[in-house]
Amino acid sequence: MSNATHLTGAQAWLNFRRIVCDTWSHDNLILLGDAAHTAHFSIGSGTKLALEDAIKLAQVLNRPGLERGAALSEYQAERNLEVLKLQNSARNSTEWFETLDRYLHFEPIQFAYSLLTRSQRVSHENLRLRDKAWLEGVERWFQSAAQGREVNEAAPPMFAPLRLRALELDNRVVVSPMAMYSAEEGTPNDFHFVHYGARAQGGAGLLYTEMTCVSPEGRITPGCAGLYTPEHVAAWRRIVDFVHANSGAKFCLQLGHSGPKGSTKVGWEGYDVPLDAGNWPVMAASEMPWSGDNQIPRPMTRADMERVIGEFVASVRMGLEAGFDMVELHAAHGYLLSSFITPLANKRTDDYGGALENRLRFPLEVFAAMRAAWPDDKPMSVRISANDWMGELGVTPDEAVEIGRAFWAAGADLIDVSAGQTWADCQPVYGRMFQTPFADQVRNEGRVTTMAVGNIYESDHVNSILAAGRADLVALARPHLIDPMWTLRAAAGQDYRRVRVPPQYLGGIAQLTRNLQREAELKA
Ligand SMILES: Cc1cc2nc3c(=O)[nH]c(=O)nc-3n(C[C@H](O)[C@H](O)[C@H](O)COP(=O)(O)OP(=O)(O)OC[C@H]3O[C@@H](n4cnc5c(N)ncnc54)[C@H](O)[C@@H]3O)c2cc1C
Ligand SMILES: Cc1cc2nc3c(=O)[nH]c(=O)nc-3n(C[C@H](O)[C@H](O)[C@H](O)COP(=O)(O)O)c2cc1C
């Protein structure tokens, strides 16, 4: 039994015990309710769980022919699953209340939305079922805030525009950067032309290139794209021109250097596995190999740093020549700049190691040099790993707030909040939208613009994240691998008619919208 019910509010909050039991019965003793599990009372579900336990227990014990042991196994198996889901939601809810200060600057309507969706079990569409008129009020408020004028029509938050410096994005859906490992000597080819062209036509407001490398040694694999020769500029220019001529998508160039994770095989031959032949030497913050199988990197000297800064700047200038709208610095996932930021890989004892301020020094130098070479009216973003998934030994989400703020102060317009891939033995906790809490924390504690990414795959996820102010943009990677038209499909699913559709494809979206509507009516 929970002793929490016998305490007063404040005491109960502080003393709350999350009970998890591996075994729910022993001899003639059967646990149910708070004795078997507790879920923080801020989601108000303890009584429901206890009653549902009792109902299920009565069912299995009274089912003719069911032996007692089997009955109790079924009871525990079924109830435990429900309990785990609710305990997860309860933890989200508890954290929301514990970090409430983060949201105090929200307008009341968004604060209410954030409160209602805090457990992440109640989503945008779920709120529509509960109170359609109120939700449409939220949608109108969101659109009005995004457009800077009174908007009287409700529309899904994902279809709100966003302005970054002089760049206007049509909507908040982003094709996340994805390495295609299909370039030759760094040059993108027809595969890339079709790949990016199709995804741009699919309706997303912003399209990212794959990590495009600033030098041959900065490539992860021999198939990685680059931007360090005139041929690369011409090849990218052709793709950028197509995107601009045939879609409303804006195009962001992600620039990076592989550092200690370089000289490895293309993705489908094994991630981070060194080449069988033709390896090139790699460098990093310190002599820390990515794994026992990877090369020991050379710790960077000041001369190396100067050279790499020059390479990033040269690539930025080429990016401008190629016509990109935006540039992102890749400072995540264990690559060169990330190897400086994470204390797990950075063992330096000079000005570039130790405290976060020192570990950020070189990445910020690179960023500042890029910013100076990139026009003032064009935005820049930085991708960070907001959690090394190694507890206090690595970068924590609290530290990520400082990292985001530092790049913001240096002129970044968007912090692209990813996580992990910085340490081979890390222990990520995967799940639906699993990195979104970091985008939320960096945004609302750091007061910066963020992009969420990571296992976000439904339009309902995207709308909920945006309306709750957990991020300003939402990037989807794998969903776009299998469906370049993800955004247009989402528009059809929500009967949103004002999305920009390539005129050649208008018949397709009209039919899909009708079919999905009919399906929804039948379901209702
Ligand atoms: C502050 C607070 C707010 C909450 N708000 C909500 C809410 O809004 N909605 C919701 O659904 N849930 C809420 N809960 C949770 C909910 O109260 C519990 O999950 C629920 O009461 C659990 O029911 P139970 O029967 O398992 O245990 P209990 O309700 O704790 O019942 C156990 C009973 O056993 C008795 N008992 C203990 N030892 C013995 C003994 N040795 N012999 C005989 N009797 C004994 C106790 O006196 C008690 O009456 C809240 C909890 C707290 C603490
Ligand atoms: C095939 C593939 C290649 C990727 N390449 C990159 C990359 O070049 N740069 C980068 O920052 N992230 C890269 N990622 C990570 C994605 O951008 C994204 O953060 C991750 O896949 C989680 O999003 P998802 O759950 O929507 O797939 C890649 C992901 C995939 C699946």
Side-chain angles (χ1 to χ4, degrees):
M1 306 289 155
S2 157
N3 59 7
T5 47
H6 305 292
L7 299 168
T8 62
Q11 278 173 306
W13 189 282
L14 294 174
N15 295 316
F16 185 79
R17 291 278 179 276
R18 184 163 165 270
I19 293 172
V20 180
C21 284
D22 286 338
T23 313
W24 291 25
S25 57
H26 180 71
D27 294 341
N28 64 348
L29 190 74
I30 303 169
L31 300 183
L32 75 165
D34 275 8
H37 48 72
T38 54
H40 194 264
F41 44 85
S42 67
I43 58 163
S45 294
T47 309
K48 170 176 139 52
L49 282 179
L51 287 171
E52 286 171 352
D53 286 352
I55 293 167
K56 180 67 191 176
L57 187 58
Q59 272 174 2
V60 291
L61 291 179
N62 290 321
R63 195 181 306 152
L66 188 61
E67 180 261 323
R68 193 169 179 277
L72 292 180
S73 297
E74 183 184 323
Y75 160 67
Q76 176 170 342
E78 185 178 305
R79 293 304 304 148
N80 202 27
L81 196 65
E82 267 315 293
V83 166
L84 286 177
K85 283 190 207 161
L86 265 165
Q87 283 181 328
N88 196 25
S89 302
R91 191 171 29 214
N92 291 337
S93 170
T94 315
E95 277 175 20
W96 189 89
F97 280 105
E98 286 173 349
T99 56
L100 188 65
D101 286 1
R102 236 187 241 172
Y103 311 109
L104 292 179
H105 64 287
F106 281 12
E107 292 216 20
I109 193 165
Q110 188 170 40
F111 186 85
Y113 186 102
S114 173
L115 170 71
L116 290 170
T117 54
R118 69 191 183 280
S119 72
Q120 284 165 60
R121 263 175 90 83
V122 176
S123 68
H124 198 73
E125 290 312 312
N126 208 252
L127 284 174
R128 195 186 306 281
L129 287 178
R130 292 160 194 247
D131 192 340
K132 185 165 182 278
W134 184 79
L135 188 76
E136 288 179 355
V138 173
E139 292 191 336
R140 279 193 298 275
W141 168 81
F142 193 87
Q143 291 289 340
S144 302
Q147 297 183 37
R149 64 180 180 92
E150 188 75 16
V151 174
N152 294 317
E153 272 173 86
M158 68 162 71
F159 292 109
L162 181 73
R163 192 186 165 95
L164 298 169
R165 299 205 184 210
L167 186 69
E168 301 268 3
L169 303 180
D170 273 0
N171 63 59
R172 308 287 183 112
V173 183
V174 178
V175 179
S176 202
M178 280 182 284
M180 290 290 108
Y181 311 111
S182 302
E184 293 145 43
E185 302 293 331
T187 311
N189 52 35
D190 282 353
F191 172 85
H192 301 84
F193 186 80
V194 172
H195 169 74
Y196 290 113
R199 277 146 193 85
Q201 290 178 318
L206 183 62
L207 170 71
Y208 270 76
T209 68
E210 59 206 275
M211 175 168 128
T212 301
C213 309
V214 297
S215 64
E217 315 73 51
R219 290 175 302 162
I220 309 166
T221 75
C224 286
L227 191 44
Y228 47 84
T229 70
E231 292 74 45
H232 297 161
V233 179
W236 278 117
R237 173 99 235 174
R238 178 169 165 254
I239 300 170
V240 174
D241 285 349
F242 178 88
V243 167
H244 286 158
N246 293 281
S247 80
K250 300 297 187 286
F251 208 172
C252 179
L253 165 68
Q254 187 189 55
L255 287 177
H257 189 300
S258 55
K261 291 170 99 175
S263 191
T264 54
K265 295 184 180 184
V266 298
W268 48 85
E269 289 177 2
Y271 280 106
D272 307 318
V273 179
L275 297 170
D276 293 331
N279 281 289
W280 59 85
V282 301
M283 61 183 177
S286 304
E287 277 177 312
M288 300 284 289
W290 170 249
S291 78
D293 295 333
N294 294 77
Q295 288 180 56
I296 296 178
R298 180 166 60 85
M300 284 179 86
T301 61
R302 184 62 214 167
D304 290 327
M305 293 182 195
E306 300 284 352
R307 196 182 61 255
V308 168
I309 290 172
E311 289 167 353
F312 270 96
V313 168
S315 294
V316 164
R317 295 208 173 105
M318 291 185 197
L320 189 60
E321 221 182 304
F324 284 103
D325 303 295
M326 180 171 165
V327 170
E328 173 164 290
L329 174 61
H330 195 335
H333 300 170
Y335 298 118
L336 186 69
L337 300 179
S338 172
S339 81
F340 277 81
I341 299 174
T342 171
L344 294 160
N346 184 338
K347 301 295 171 196
R348 297 177 79 101
T349 51
D350 60 5
D351 287 351
Y352 296 92
L356 178 63
E357 188 191 357
N358 284 356
R359 288 183 274 124
L360 274 174
R361 197 178 304 279
F362 176 56
L364 284 172
E365 283 178 7
V366 173
F367 184 83
M370 290 168 73
R371 184 70 266 184
W374 187 242
D376 263 356
D377 62 343
K378 288 184 185 256
M380 282 186 67
S381 60
V382 183
R383 179 165 272 207
I384 63 169
S385 282
N387 191 347
D388 285 340
W389 299 112
M390 288 292 288
E392 296 296 321
L393 296 175
V395 168
T396 60
D398 285 344
E399 212 174 34
V401 176
E402 299 310 315
I403 297 170
R405 272 196 189 132
F407 281 110
W408 189 259
D413 306 286
L414 176 73
I415 308 299
D416 172 1
V417 185
S418 184
Q421 298 174 56
T422 48
W423 193 245
D425 296 329
C426 68
Q427 303 289 326
V429 182
Y430 292 115
R432 204 167 39 110
M433 305 187 274
F434 72 117
Q435 296 172 160
T436 300
F438 312 137
D440 180 347
Q441 187 173 351
V442 172
R443 179 183 195 267
N444 294 311
E445 286 182 13
R447 299 295 184 91
V448 302
T449 303
T450 64
M451 177 157 81
V453 65
N455 216 12
I456 299 167
Y457 47 86
E458 288 179 5
S459 50
D460 201 20
H461 300 159
V462 179
N463 287 328
S464 307
I465 291 168
L466 293 168
R470 309 183 80 211
D472 301 276
L473 285 172
V474 178
L476 296 85
R478 290 166 297 172
H480 278 117
L481 280 185
I482 207 65
D483 188 2
M485 297 276 166
W486 192 90
T487 305
L488 294 186
R489 205 180 285 280
Q494 298 170 89
D495 194 15
Y496 177 73
R497 308 283 173 101
R498 292 192 299 282
V499 68
R500 199 187 309 214
V501 184
Q504 299 88 337
Y505 302 154
L506 279 167
I509 194 163
Q511 185 198 41
L512 181 63
T513 306
R514 275 195 310 277
N515 288 347
L516 291 175
Q517 251 176 347
R518 201 168 306 139
E519 216 174 88
E521 280 161 18
L522 280 176
K523 231 189 235 169

